[in-house]
Amino acid sequence: ISAIPSYDTPEGVKLPAAWLVEHAGFPKGLRRGGVGISSKHALALVNYAGSSGELLALAEEIRAGVSAAFGVTLEMEPVIVPHSLPGQTHG
C-alpha cells in the first residue's frame, strides 16, 4: 500500500477517511446482504433491503478493518437520509 495521503492543519494531521476505507479492503459498491457501500462514495453506507443491525455491523466491520490496516480509528458521523417511496411524504 502506498503512503497514506495526509495534510497538516492547525488542529493536527488530516487523513482522508474514504481513502482509508477503500485501501483497507472495502471498495465502493461492496454489498453485504441487504446493506453495502455506495457505488459513488466510500463513506456512504446504504440500506438496500437490510436491517439497521446489518448496517451497523457493516460500519463496525469497516472501522475494525481500517484500525487493523492503519492503526487509525474512524469516528462515526451518521447522517440519515430519508427515502420516500412513491406517494409517501416526510414532514
Side-chain angles (χ1 to χ4, degrees):
I1 295 177
S2 58
I4 300 172
S6 64
Y7 61 96
D8 294 323
T9 71
E11 295 82 30
V13 176
K14 296 282 188 173
L15 304 173
W19 186 95
L20 295 170
V21 168
E22 289 195 84
H23 285 82
F26 301 95
K28 290 181 269 191
L30 175 82
R31 296 282 292 257
R32 291 271 198 279
V35 300
I37 298 174
S38 168
S39 61
K40 297 181 179 165
H41 198 294
L43 298 182
L45 300 185
V46 180
N47 186 343
Y48 296 103
S51 68
S52 297
E54 286 178 291
L55 195 64
L56 293 172
L58 176 59
E60 186 51 39
E61 181 184 349
I62 292 167
R63 283 172 41 101
V66 168
S67 180
F70 301 108
V72 173
T73 302
L74 296 177
E75 293 182 21
M76 193 179 308
E77 297 178 355
V79 176
I80 299 172
V81 180
H83 174 72
S84 296
L85 297 174
Q88 289 184 327
T89 60
H90 290 276

Coordinates of all heavy atoms in Angstrom, one line a residue:
I1 N 0.9 -1.2 0.0 CA 0.0 0.0 0.0 C 0.9 1.2 0.0 O 1.9 1.3 0.7 CB -0.9 0.0 1.2 CG1 -1.9 -1.2 1.1 CG2 -1.7 1.3 1.4 CD1 -2.8 -1.3 2.3
S2 N 0.5 2.2 -0.8 CA 1.3 3.4 -0.8 C 1.1 4.2 0.5 O 0.2 3.9 1.3 CB 0.8 4.3 -2.0 OG -0.6 4.6 -1.9
A3 N 1.9 5.3 0.6 CA 1.8 6.1 1.8 C 0.4 6.7 1.9 O -0.2 7.0 0.9 CB 2.9 7.2 1.8
I4 N -0.1 6.9 3.2 CA -1.4 7.5 3.4 C -1.3 8.9 3.1 O -0.5 9.7 3.6 CB -1.8 7.3 4.9 CG1 -1.9 5.8 5.2 CG2 -3.2 8.0 5.1 CD1 -2.1 5.6 6.7
P5 N -2.2 9.4 2.2 CA -2.2 10.8 1.9 C -2.6 11.6 3.2 O -3.5 11.1 3.9 CB -3.2 11.0 0.8 CG -3.9 9.7 0.6 CD -3.2 8.7 1.4
S6 N -2.0 12.7 3.4 CA -2.3 13.5 4.6 C -1.9 14.9 4.4 O -1.2 15.3 3.5 CB -1.6 12.9 5.8 OG -0.2 13.1 5.7
Y7 N -2.5 15.8 5.3 CA -2.0 17.2 5.3 C -2.2 17.7 6.7 O -3.0 17.3 7.5 CB -2.8 18.0 4.2 CG -4.3 18.1 4.5 CD1 -4.9 19.2 5.1 CD2 -5.1 17.1 4.0 CE1 -6.2 19.2 5.3 CE2 -6.5 17.2 4.1 CZ -7.0 18.3 4.8 OH -8.4 18.3 5.0
D8 N -1.3 18.7 7.0 CA -1.3 19.3 8.3 C -2.3 20.4 8.4 O -2.4 21.2 7.4 CB 0.1 19.8 8.6 CG 1.2 18.7 8.8 OD1 0.8 17.6 9.3 OD2 2.3 18.9 8.3
T9 N -2.9 20.6 9.5 CA -3.8 21.7 9.8 C -3.4 22.2 11.2 O -2.7 21.5 12.0 CB -5.3 21.3 9.8 OG1 -5.5 20.4 11.0 CG2 -5.6 20.5 8.5
P10 N -3.9 23.3 11.6 CA -3.7 23.8 13.0 C -4.2 22.8 14.1 O -3.6 22.8 15.1 CB -4.4 25.1 13.1 CG -4.5 25.6 11.6 CD -4.6 24.4 10.8
E11 N -5.2 22.0 13.7 CA -5.7 21.1 14.7 C -4.9 19.8 14.7 O -5.1 18.9 15.6 CB -7.2 20.7 14.3 CG -8.1 21.9 14.5 CD -8.1 22.8 13.3 OE1 -7.8 22.4 12.1 OE2 -8.3 24.0 13.5
G12 N -4.1 19.5 13.7 CA -3.3 18.3 13.6 C -3.3 17.8 12.2 O -3.5 18.5 11.3
V13 N -3.0 16.5 12.0 CA -2.9 15.9 10.7 C -4.3 15.4 10.3 O -4.9 14.7 11.0 CB -1.9 14.7 10.7 CG1 -1.8 14.1 9.4 CG2 -0.5 15.3 11.1
K14 N -4.7 15.7 9.1 CA -5.9 15.2 8.5 C -5.6 14.0 7.6 O -4.7 14.1 6.8 CB -6.6 16.3 7.7 CG -7.1 17.5 8.6 CD -8.3 17.2 9.3 CE -8.8 18.4 10.0 NZ -10.1 18.2 10.6
L15 N -6.4 13.0 7.7 CA -6.3 11.8 6.8 C -7.7 11.7 6.0 O -8.7 11.9 6.6 CB -6.1 10.6 7.6 CG -4.9 10.6 8.5 CD1 -4.8 9.3 9.4 CD2 -3.6 10.7 7.7
P16 N -7.6 11.3 4.8 CA -8.9 11.1 4.0 C -9.5 9.7 4.4 O -9.0 8.7 4.0 CB -8.5 11.1 2.6 CG -7.0 10.7 2.6 CD -6.5 11.2 3.9
A17 N -10.6 9.8 5.1 CA -11.3 8.6 5.6 C -11.7 7.7 4.4 O -11.6 6.4 4.5 CB -12.5 8.9 6.4
A18 N -12.2 8.2 3.3 CA -12.6 7.4 2.2 C -11.4 6.6 1.6 O -11.6 5.4 1.3 CB -13.2 8.3 1.1
W19 N -10.2 7.2 1.6 CA -9.0 6.5 1.1 C -8.7 5.4 2.0 O -8.4 4.3 1.6 CB -7.9 7.5 1.0 CG -6.6 6.9 0.4 CD1 -6.2 7.0 -0.9 CD2 -5.6 6.2 1.1 NE1 -5.0 6.4 -1.1 CE2 -4.6 5.8 0.1 CE3 -5.4 5.7 2.4 CZ2 -3.5 5.1 0.4 CZ3 -4.3 5.0 2.7 CH2 -3.4 4.7 1.7
L20 N -8.8 5.6 3.4 CA -8.5 4.6 4.3 C -9.5 3.4 4.2 O -9.1 2.2 4.2 CB -8.6 5.1 5.7 CG -7.6 6.2 6.1 CD1 -7.9 6.8 7.5 CD2 -6.2 5.6 6.2
V21 N -10.8 3.7 4.0 CA -11.8 2.7 3.9 C -11.5 1.8 2.6 O -11.5 0.6 2.7 CB -13.2 3.3 3.8 CG1 -14.2 2.3 3.4 CG2 -13.6 3.9 5.1
E22 N -11.3 2.4 1.5 CA -11.1 1.7 0.3 C -9.8 0.9 0.3 O -9.8 -0.3 -0.1 CB -11.1 2.6 -0.9 CG -12.5 3.2 -1.2 CD -12.5 3.8 -2.6 OE1 -12.8 3.1 -3.5 OE2 -12.4 5.0 -2.6
H23 N -8.7 1.4 0.9 CA -7.4 0.7 0.9 C -7.4 -0.3 2.1 O -6.5 -1.1 2.1 CB -6.3 1.7 1.0 CG -6.0 2.4 -0.3 ND1 -6.8 3.5 -0.7 CD2 -5.2 2.1 -1.3 CE1 -6.3 3.8 -1.9 NE2 -5.4 3.0 -2.3
A24 N -8.4 -0.3 2.9 CA -8.5 -1.4 3.9 C -9.3 -2.6 3.4 O -9.6 -3.5 4.1 CB -9.1 -0.9 5.2
G25 N -9.8 -2.5 2.1 CA -10.5 -3.6 1.5 C -12.0 -3.5 1.4 O -12.7 -4.5 1.3
F26 N -12.5 -2.2 1.5 CA -13.9 -2.0 1.5 C -14.2 -1.0 0.3 O -14.4 0.2 0.5 CB -14.4 -1.4 2.8 CG -14.1 -2.3 4.0 CD1 -13.0 -2.1 4.7 CD2 -15.0 -3.4 4.3 CE1 -12.7 -3.0 5.8 CE2 -14.7 -4.2 5.4 CZ -13.6 -4.0 6.1
P27 N -14.3 -1.6 -0.9 CA -14.4 -0.7 -2.1 C -15.8 -0.2 -2.2 O -16.8 -0.7 -1.7 CB -14.1 -1.6 -3.2 CG -14.5 -3.0 -2.7 CD -14.2 -3.0 -1.3
K28 N -15.9 0.9 -3.0 CA -17.3 1.5 -3.3 C -18.0 0.3 -4.0 O -17.5 -0.4 -4.8 CB -17.1 2.7 -4.3 CG -16.6 3.9 -3.6 CD -16.5 5.1 -4.5 CE -15.1 5.0 -5.1 NZ -14.8 6.2 -5.9
G29 N -19.3 0.2 -3.8 CA -20.2 -0.8 -4.4 C -20.2 -2.1 -3.7 O -21.0 -3.0 -4.0
L30 N -19.4 -2.3 -2.6 CA -19.4 -3.5 -1.8 C -20.8 -3.8 -1.3 O -21.5 -2.9 -0.8 CB -18.4 -3.4 -0.7 CG -18.4 -4.6 0.3 CD1 -17.5 -5.7 -0.3 CD2 -17.9 -4.1 1.7
R31 N -21.3 -5.0 -1.3 CA -22.6 -5.4 -0.7 C -22.4 -6.5 0.3 O -21.6 -7.4 0.1 CB -23.5 -5.9 -1.8 CG -23.9 -4.9 -2.9 CD -25.0 -3.9 -2.4 NE -26.3 -4.4 -2.2 CZ -27.3 -4.3 -3.1 NH1 -27.1 -3.7 -4.2 NH2 -28.5 -4.8 -2.8
R32 N -23.1 -6.4 1.4 CA -23.2 -7.5 2.4 C -24.6 -7.7 2.7 O -25.3 -6.9 3.4 CB -22.5 -7.0 3.7 CG -21.0 -6.9 3.6 CD -20.3 -8.2 4.0 NE -18.9 -8.0 4.3 CZ -17.9 -7.9 3.4 NH1 -18.2 -7.8 2.1 NH2 -16.7 -7.7 3.8
G33 N -25.2 -8.7 2.1 CA -26.6 -9.0 2.3 C -27.4 -7.8 1.8 O -27.3 -7.4 0.6
G34 N -28.3 -7.2 2.6 CA -29.1 -6.1 2.2 C -28.6 -4.7 2.4 O -29.3 -3.7 2.3
V35 N -27.3 -4.7 2.8 CA -26.6 -3.4 3.0 C -25.3 -3.3 2.2 O -24.8 -4.3 1.7 CB -26.3 -3.1 4.5 CG1 -27.6 -3.1 5.3 CG2 -25.4 -4.1 5.1
G36 N -24.7 -2.1 2.1 CA -23.5 -2.0 1.4 C -22.9 -0.6 1.4 O -23.4 0.3 2.1
I37 N -21.9 -0.4 0.6 CA -21.2 0.9 0.5 C -21.7 1.4 -0.8 O -21.8 0.7 -1.9 CB -19.7 0.7 0.5 CG1 -19.2 0.1 1.8 CG2 -19.0 2.0 0.2 CD1 -17.7 -0.2 1.9
S38 N -22.0 2.7 -0.8 CA -22.4 3.4 -2.1 C -21.4 3.1 -3.2 O -20.2 3.1 -3.0 CB -22.6 4.9 -1.8 OG -22.7 5.6 -3.0
S39 N -21.9 3.0 -4.4 CA -21.1 2.9 -5.6 C -20.4 4.2 -5.9 O -19.5 4.3 -6.7 CB -21.8 2.4 -6.8 OG -22.9 3.3 -7.1
K40 N -20.9 5.3 -5.3 CA -20.3 6.7 -5.6 C -19.4 7.2 -4.5 O -18.6 8.1 -4.8 CB -21.5 7.6 -5.8 CG -22.3 7.2 -7.0 CD -23.5 8.2 -7.2 CE -24.2 7.7 -8.5 NZ -25.5 8.2 -8.7
H41 N -19.6 6.8 -3.3 CA -18.7 7.3 -2.2 C -18.5 6.3 -1.1 O -19.4 5.7 -0.6 CB -19.4 8.6 -1.6 CG -18.4 9.4 -0.8 ND1 -17.8 9.0 0.3 CD2 -18.0 10.7 -1.1 CE1 -17.0 10.0 0.8 NE2 -17.1 11.0 -0.1
A42 N -17.2 6.1 -0.8 CA -16.8 5.0 0.1 C -17.3 5.3 1.6 O -17.3 4.4 2.4 CB -15.3 4.8 0.1
L43 N -17.7 6.5 1.9 CA -18.1 6.8 3.3 C -19.6 6.7 3.4 O -20.1 6.9 4.5 CB -17.6 8.2 3.7 CG -16.1 8.3 3.8 CD1 -15.8 9.7 4.2 CD2 -15.5 7.3 4.6
A44 N -20.3 6.5 2.3 CA -21.8 6.4 2.4 C -22.3 5.0 2.5 O -22.1 4.2 1.5 CB -22.4 7.1 1.2
L45 N -22.8 4.6 3.6 CA -23.4 3.2 3.7 C -24.9 3.3 3.3 O -25.6 4.2 3.6 CB -23.2 2.7 5.1 CG -21.8 2.6 5.7 CD1 -21.8 1.9 7.0 CD2 -20.9 1.8 4.7
V46 N -25.3 2.2 2.6 CA -26.7 2.2 2.1 C -27.4 1.0 2.6 O -26.9 -0.1 2.6 CB -26.6 2.2 0.5 CG1 -28.0 2.2 0.0 CG2 -25.8 3.4 0.0
N47 N -28.6 1.2 3.0 CA -29.5 0.1 3.4 C -30.4 -0.2 2.2 O -31.4 0.5 2.0 CB -30.3 0.4 4.7 CG -31.1 -0.7 5.2 OD1 -31.3 -1.7 4.5 ND2 -31.6 -0.6 6.4
Y48 N -30.1 -1.2 1.5 CA -30.9 -1.6 0.3 C -32.2 -2.3 0.7 O -33.2 -2.0 0.2 CB -30.1 -2.4 -0.7 CG -28.9 -1.7 -1.2 CD1 -27.6 -2.0 -0.7 CD2 -29.0 -0.8 -2.2 CE1 -26.5 -1.3 -1.2 CE2 -27.9 -0.1 -2.7 CZ -26.6 -0.3 -2.2 OH -25.5 0.3 -2.7
A49 N -32.1 -3.3 1.5 CA -33.3 -4.0 2.0 C -32.9 -4.8 3.2 O -33.5 -5.8 3.5 CB -33.8 -5.0 0.9
G50 N -31.9 -4.3 4.0 CA -31.4 -5.0 5.1 C -32.0 -4.4 6.4 O -33.0 -3.6 6.4
S51 N -31.4 -4.7 7.5 CA -31.8 -4.2 8.8 C -30.8 -3.2 9.3 O -29.7 -3.1 8.8 CB -31.9 -5.3 9.8 OG -30.6 -5.8 10.1
S52 N -31.3 -2.4 10.3 CA -30.4 -1.4 11.0 C -29.2 -2.2 11.6 O -28.1 -1.7 11.5 CB -31.1 -0.7 12.0 OG -32.2 0.1 11.5
G53 N -29.5 -3.4 12.1 CA -28.4 -4.2 12.7 C -27.3 -4.5 11.7 O -26.1 -4.5 11.9
E54 N -27.8 -4.9 10.5 CA -26.8 -5.2 9.4 C -26.0 -4.0 9.0 O -24.8 -4.1 8.8 CB -27.6 -5.7 8.1 CG -28.1 -7.1 8.2 CD -28.9 -7.5 7.0 OE1 -29.9 -6.9 6.7 OE2 -28.4 -8.3 6.2
L55 N -26.6 -2.9 9.0 CA -25.9 -1.7 8.6 C -24.9 -1.3 9.6 O -23.7 -1.0 9.3 CB -26.9 -0.5 8.4 CG -26.4 0.7 7.7 CD1 -26.0 0.4 6.2 CD2 -27.5 1.8 7.7
L56 N -25.3 -1.4 10.9 CA -24.3 -1.1 12.0 C -23.2 -2.1 12.0 O -22.1 -1.7 12.3 CB -25.1 -1.0 13.3 CG -26.0 0.2 13.5 CD1 -26.8 0.1 14.7 CD2 -25.3 1.5 13.4
A57 N -23.5 -3.4 11.7 CA -22.4 -4.4 11.7 C -21.4 -4.1 10.6 O -20.2 -4.3 10.8 CB -23.1 -5.8 11.5
L58 N -21.9 -3.7 9.4 CA -21.0 -3.3 8.4 C -20.1 -2.1 8.7 O -18.9 -2.1 8.5 CB -21.8 -3.0 7.1 CG -20.9 -2.6 5.9 CD1 -19.9 -3.6 5.5 CD2 -21.8 -2.2 4.7
A59 N -20.8 -1.1 9.4 CA -20.0 0.0 9.8 C -18.9 -0.4 10.8 O -17.8 0.1 10.7 CB -20.9 1.1 10.5
E60 N -19.2 -1.3 11.7 CA -18.2 -1.7 12.7 C -17.1 -2.5 12.0 O -15.9 -2.4 12.3 CB -18.9 -2.5 13.8 CG -17.9 -2.8 14.9 CD -17.1 -1.7 15.4 OE1 -17.6 -0.5 15.6 OE2 -15.9 -1.8 15.7
E61 N -17.5 -3.4 11.0 CA -16.5 -4.1 10.3 C -15.5 -3.2 9.5 O -14.3 -3.5 9.5 CB -17.2 -5.0 9.2 CG -16.3 -5.9 8.4 CD -17.0 -6.7 7.4 OE1 -18.3 -6.8 7.3 OE2 -16.3 -7.3 6.5
I62 N -16.0 -2.2 9.0 CA -15.2 -1.2 8.3 C -14.3 -0.5 9.3 O -13.1 -0.4 9.0 CB -16.0 -0.2 7.5 CG1 -16.8 -0.9 6.3 CG2 -15.2 1.0 7.0 CD1 -17.9 -0.1 5.7
R63 N -14.8 0.0 10.4 CA -14.0 0.6 11.4 C -12.9 -0.3 11.9 O -11.7 0.1 12.0 CB -14.9 1.0 12.6 CG -15.7 2.3 12.4 CD -16.7 2.6 13.5 NE -16.2 2.4 14.9 CZ -15.8 3.3 15.7 NH1 -15.8 4.6 15.3 NH2 -15.3 3.1 16.9
A64 N -13.2 -1.6 12.2 CA -12.2 -2.5 12.6 C -11.2 -2.8 11.6 O -10.0 -2.9 11.9 CB -12.9 -3.8 13.1
G65 N -11.6 -2.9 10.3 CA -10.7 -3.1 9.2 C -9.7 -2.0 9.0 O -8.5 -2.2 8.8
V66 N -10.2 -0.8 9.1 CA -9.3 0.4 9.0 C -8.3 0.5 10.1 O -7.1 0.7 10.0 CB -10.1 1.7 8.9 CG1 -9.2 2.9 9.0 CG2 -10.9 1.8 7.5
S67 N -8.8 0.2 11.3 CA -8.0 0.2 12.5 C -6.9 -0.9 12.4 O -5.7 -0.6 12.7 CB -8.8 -0.1 13.8 OG -8.0 -0.1 14.9
A68 N -7.2 -2.1 11.9 CA -6.3 -3.2 11.8 C -5.2 -2.9 10.7 O -4.0 -3.1 10.9 CB -7.0 -4.5 11.5
A69 N -5.7 -2.2 9.6 CA -4.8 -2.0 8.5 C -3.9 -0.8 8.7 O -2.7 -0.8 8.3 CB -5.6 -1.7 7.2
F70 N -4.4 0.2 9.4 CA -3.7 1.5 9.5 C -3.4 2.0 10.9 O -2.8 3.0 11.1 CB -4.4 2.6 8.7 CG -4.5 2.2 7.2 CD1 -5.7 1.9 6.7 CD2 -3.4 2.2 6.4 CE1 -5.9 1.6 5.4 CE2 -3.5 1.9 5.1 CZ -4.8 1.5 4.6
G71 N -4.1 1.4 11.9 CA -4.0 1.9 13.3 C -4.7 3.2 13.5 O -4.4 4.0 14.4
V72 N -5.7 3.5 12.7 CA -6.5 4.7 12.7 C -7.9 4.3 13.1 O -8.5 3.4 12.5 CB -6.5 5.4 11.4 CG1 -7.5 6.6 11.4 CG2 -5.1 5.9 11.0
T73 N -8.5 5.0 14.1 CA -9.9 4.7 14.5 C -10.8 5.8 13.9 O -10.6 6.9 14.2 CB -10.0 4.7 16.0 OG1 -9.1 3.8 16.6 CG2 -11.4 4.4 16.5
L74 N -11.7 5.3 13.0 CA -12.6 6.2 12.4 C -13.7 6.6 13.4 O -14.2 5.7 14.1 CB -13.2 5.6 11.2 CG -12.3 5.3 10.0 CD1 -13.1 4.6 8.9 CD2 -11.6 6.6 9.5
E75 N -14.2 7.8 13.4 CA -15.3 8.2 14.2 C -16.5 8.2 13.3 O -16.5 8.6 12.2 CB -15.1 9.6 14.7 CG -14.0 9.7 15.7 CD -13.8 11.1 16.3 OE1 -14.8 11.9 16.2 OE2 -12.7 11.4 16.7
M76 N -17.6 7.6 13.9 CA -18.9 7.5 13.1 C -19.5 8.9 13.2 O -19.7 9.5 14.2 CB -19.8 6.4 13.7 CG -20.9 6.1 12.8 SD -22.0 4.8 13.4 CE -20.9 3.5 13.8
E77 N -19.9 9.3 12.0 CA -20.7 10.6 11.9 C -22.0 10.3 11.1 O -22.0 10.6 9.9 CB -19.8 11.6 11.1 CG -18.6 12.0 11.9 CD -17.7 13.0 11.1 OE1 -18.1 13.4 10.0 OE2 -16.7 13.4 11.7
P78 N -22.9 9.7 11.8 CA -24.1 9.3 11.0 C -25.0 10.4 10.5 O -25.2 11.4 11.2 CB -24.9 8.4 12.0 CG -24.5 8.9 13.3 CD -23.0 9.4 13.2
V79 N -25.4 10.3 9.3 CA -26.3 11.3 8.7 C -27.4 10.4 8.1 O -27.0 9.6 7.2 CB -25.7 12.2 7.7 CG1 -26.8 13.0 7.0 CG2 -24.6 13.0 8.3
I80 N -28.6 10.5 8.5 CA -29.6 9.6 8.0 C -30.4 10.4 6.9 O -30.9 11.5 7.1 CB -30.6 9.1 9.1 CG1 -29.8 8.3 10.1 CG2 -31.8 8.3 8.5 CD1 -30.6 8.0 11.3
V81 N -30.4 9.8 5.7 CA -31.1 10.4 4.6 C -32.4 9.7 4.4 O -32.4 8.5 4.0 CB -30.3 10.4 3.3 CG1 -31.0 11.1 2.1 CG2 -28.9 11.1 3.6
P82 N -33.6 10.3 4.6 CA -34.8 9.6 4.4 C -35.1 9.3 2.9 O -34.6 10.1 2.0 CB -35.9 10.6 4.9 CG -35.2 11.9 4.9 CD -33.7 11.7 5.0
H83 N -35.7 8.2 2.7 CA -36.0 7.8 1.4 C -37.5 7.6 1.3 O -38.1 6.8 2.1 CB -35.3 6.5 1.0 CG -35.7 5.9 -0.3 ND1 -35.3 6.5 -1.5 CD2 -36.5 4.9 -0.6 CE1 -35.9 5.8 -2.5 NE2 -36.6 4.8 -2.0
S84 N -38.2 8.3 0.4 CA -39.6 8.2 0.3 C -40.0 7.2 -0.8 O -39.4 7.2 -1.9 CB -40.2 9.5 0.0 OG -40.0 10.4 1.0
L85 N -40.9 6.4 -0.5 CA -41.5 5.6 -1.6 C -42.5 6.4 -2.4 O -43.0 7.4 -1.9 CB -42.2 4.3 -1.0 CG -41.3 3.4 -0.2 CD1 -42.2 2.3 0.5 CD2 -40.3 2.7 -1.1
P86 N -42.8 6.0 -3.6 CA -43.7 6.8 -4.4 C -45.0 7.0 -3.6 O -45.6 6.1 -3.1 CB -43.9 6.0 -5.7 CG -42.6 5.2 -5.8 CD -42.2 4.9 -4.3
G87 N -45.5 8.2 -3.6 CA -46.7 8.5 -2.9 C -46.6 8.9 -1.4 O -47.5 9.3 -0.8
Q88 N -45.4 8.7 -0.8 CA -45.2 9.0 0.6 C -44.5 10.4 0.7 O -43.8 10.8 -0.2 CB -44.2 8.0 1.2 CG -44.9 6.6 1.5 CD -43.9 5.7 2.2 OE1 -42.7 5.8 2.1 NE2 -44.4 4.9 3.1
T89 N -44.8 11.0 1.8 CA -44.1 12.3 2.1 C -43.6 12.2 3.5 O -44.1 11.5 4.3 CB -45.0 13.5 1.9 OG1 -46.1 13.3 2.8 CG2 -45.6 13.6 0.5
H90 N -42.5 13.0 3.7 CA -41.9 13.1 5.0 C -42.2 14.6 5.5 O -42.1 15.5 4.7 CB -40.4 12.9 5.0 CG -40.1 11.5 4.8 ND1 -40.0 10.5 5.8 CD2 -39.8 10.8 3.7 CE1 -39.7 9.4 5.3 NE2 -39.5 9.5 4.0
G91 N -42.5 14.8 6.8 CA -42.6 16.1 7.2 C -43.4 16.3 8.4 O -43.7 17.1 9.0

